[in-house]
């Protein structure tokens, strides 16, 4: 079973995690033999945080509760408070997770936090455009590994720009192997284009449609 840990912080960009958490939590488009998935929110404490959209979230668990194995997946959303030193604890945990083969997924401002810790220096990654990480992270040494795309998979690290939430979700879902390939392609095409033909094609890929 995969456990998805969604890090919660004040001002978190709640829309950036919407696509991926909705699909992993609901399982509505999972293939027949998909592994079980559990989605949990995690915080520095169990005190509520307020997202950028004004939603109050009480974390399900704290950082020390994160299980250290390759079935753990850490999602780091963007937010305006990543400069706060208290978030160093989750970046330390991200470092440990990467070392045991777990998956770490960061988007927007969270990529700056990873860059400051040196976690992007030798791994393929992206962020909010070329030059963004250099602007906010003087010690960043990963220029040669930067890929100017909306979302990038670098082994067990998946990073995305602020505008790459949909592709980021697609790559995370693909990495976990919970959708059939044709389901994933039609899902992405539908939400990327809005064309109804992809919605009907998506429905035809689901287990019930193929009985």
């Amino acid at each position: 079973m995969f456990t998805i840990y969604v890090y919660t912080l004040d001002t978190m960009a709640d829309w950036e995690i919407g696509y991926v958490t909705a699909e992993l939590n609901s399982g509505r488009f999972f293939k027949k033999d998909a592994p079980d998935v559990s989605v949990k929110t995690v915080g520095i404490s169990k005190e509520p945080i307020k997202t950028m959209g004004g939603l109050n979230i009480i974390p399900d668990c704290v950082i020390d509760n994160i299980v250290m194995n390759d079935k753990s997946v850490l999602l780091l959303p963007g937010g305006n408070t990543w400069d706060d030193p208290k978030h160093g604890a989750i970046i330390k945990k991200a470092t440990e997770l990467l070392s045991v083969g777990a998956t770490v997924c960061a988007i927007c401002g969270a990529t700056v936090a990873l860059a400051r810790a040196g976690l992007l220096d030798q791994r393929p990654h992206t962020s909010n455009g070329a030059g963004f990480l250099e602007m906010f992270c003087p010690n960043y040494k990963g220029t040669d590994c930067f890929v100017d795309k909306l979302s990038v998979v670098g082994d067990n690290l998946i990073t995305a720009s602020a505008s790459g939430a949909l592709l980021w979700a697609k790559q995370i879902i693909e990495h976990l192997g919970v959708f059939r390939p044709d389901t994933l392609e039609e899902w992405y095409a539908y939400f990327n284009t809005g064309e109804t033909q992809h919605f009907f094609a998506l429905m035809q890929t689901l287990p019930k449609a193929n009985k």
Side-chain angles (χ1 to χ4, degrees):
M1 181 179 78
F2 288 107
T3 303
I4 315 300
Y5 296 98
V6 183
Y7 185 60
T8 58
L9 68 164
D10 283 319
T11 76
M12 68 179 278
D14 34 14
W15 67 93
E16 291 177 345
I17 61 170
Y19 286 114
V20 66
T21 55
E23 301 306 348
L24 295 181
N25 184 65
S26 71
R28 58 181 179 165
F29 298 137
F30 280 16
K31 62 186 181 182
K32 280 184 179 179
D33 57 346
D36 292 332
V37 174
S38 172
V39 178
K40 297 181 178 181
T41 51
V42 59
I44 293 171
S45 71
K46 288 196 175 181
E47 291 298 311
I49 64 92
K50 180 167 284 190
T51 72
M52 201 176 294
L55 303 180
N56 291 306
I57 298 175
I58 300 174
D60 297 316
C61 61
V62 296
I63 294 171
D64 285 344
N65 297 140
I66 295 176
V67 176
M68 298 297 296
N69 62 38
D70 61 2
K71 297 298 183 182
S72 291
V73 179
L74 177 62
L75 302 187
L76 300 174
N80 293 336
T81 54
W82 273 109
D83 286 342
D84 193 319
K86 67 184 180 182
H87 299 306
I90 194 63
I91 299 305
K92 181 176 182 292
K93 185 63 68 173
T95 304
E96 295 169 355
L97 286 166
L98 287 170
S99 71
V100 299
T103 303
V104 174
C105 310
I107 186 169
C108 192
T111 62
V112 177
L114 295 184
R116 286 176 177 152
L119 294 177
L120 305 184
D121 289 350
Q122 297 180 12
R123 294 180 173 91
H125 64 276
T126 193
S127 185
N128 293 340
F132 180 80
L133 293 174
E134 290 88 342
M135 186 185 308
F136 292 96
C137 182
N139 64 325
Y140 168 65
K141 298 181 178 66
T143 305
D144 290 343
C145 295
F146 179 82
V147 182
D148 195 11
K149 293 184 178 180
L150 290 178
S151 188
V152 170
V153 180
D155 295 323
N156 56 330
L157 175 69
I158 305 175
T159 52
S161 75
S163 57
L166 180 60
L167 181 57
W168 189 59
K170 177 180 183 285
Q171 291 176 337
I172 294 169
I173 292 167
E174 183 174 28
H175 183 75
L176 299 180
V178 292
F179 281 20
R180 283 177 26 170
D182 54 347
T183 301
L184 184 59
E185 289 306 315
E186 294 299 342
W187 175 87
Y188 181 74
Y190 176 61
F191 285 105
N192 191 43
T193 68
E195 295 177 0
T196 55
Q197 67 198 53
H198 295 297
F199 173 78
F200 292 115
L202 168 62
M203 293 299 104
Q204 289 302 309
T205 70
L206 301 182
K208 289 181 181 178
N210 292 302
K211 284 184 178 179

